[in-house]
Amino acid sequence: MTTRGELLHYLKHSNGAWISGEALAAGLGISRTAVWKQVRALQGEGYGIESSPRKGYALRKASDLLLPAEIRDGLQTTRFGRQGIAYFPQTDSTNLRARQLAAEGAPEGTLVVAETQLQGRGRRGRGWHSPAGEGIYASLILRPRIQPQEATQLVLLAAVAVAEALLASAELPFTIKWPNDILVGGKKIAGILLEMSLETERVDHVVIGLGLNVNPPAGGLPPELAGIATSLGAAAGRTFSRAELLRRCLEKLEGLYDRFLAGEREPIRRRWHELAGIVGERVRIAGIDRIYAGRVVEIDADGFLILESAAGARERILAGDLSLADGGPERFRPA
Ligand code: BTN
């Protein structure tokens, strides 16, 4: 841990009580002036630290930033978020940064987070609206020893993990929209962009990028998103700690990933089906080169959507934009 991280640890664990500069200096093995400099730096990062010449220092408010120390505080994983967190107040895209780090050899579990992205990327070449300080924009590096065709299952896994993290945070009817959007009240709250790099026959690394709208942006959503997107805060009517939510996502992701590596893939697929509730629905899918229409049979073990046409023909679809015929059931319809 860095000296600043250690100082923060002391302040957090005194639960708001004063700690003298002398005691901190002794504990950290630095001078009182150095303690004061580190406190100033923490204040610069948004921590509300009160100081008094006689009493010392007391933490009044944690930072609202998604700083590595905030993410790690209480994180119950063994690898995810523990192998290094690259934090950017602003970057082009956390997925791009993660891919670069992975190409340079960053280990599995390395996390990239940003307060805002200038070129946040969505599926199918779209952008991802990334207002500063309101959402989670994070990318995780994985190095699974799997064949490229197995990676599609990680898309389902990531959607289930994020949906479970949301369900643990708020009592709201979250649903998954194929392949990996998370909706609440028919509006999108989170999206996942999975990118992989291959080595001849097998996967070298996978980057799972998560965009999660946590608290409503001060200026509201841009008009083109207002009817189709929302945030957790807007849906629940309260604000949420982004660090806590990201910890939950990492914990759920690691738990499911370990099961996936241990060969327990069927329970993940089953849970995906439960959360998506899409089997039997009539849908329309804009695929890469054509439109499909029919009734959903299932997501198969490889992660493909199986669609049955009116004539009874079955097709396996890997990716596309799904919409429900006739507006679909209530849970998929915007309020
Ligand atoms: C989608 O629904 O189209 C996927 C959106 C994924 C957005 C996230 S934000 C963090 C990470 N970095 C990116 O550039 N994209 C993903």
Side-chain angles (χ1 to χ4, degrees), residues 93-95 117 120-123 128 138-139 181 188 191-192 210-211:
S93 149
T94 56
N95 261 38
Q117 301 181 113
R121 300 157 70 221
R123 288 197 310 119
W128 186 259
S139 302
D181 289 351
K188 184 160 168 172
I192 293 156
L210 166 67

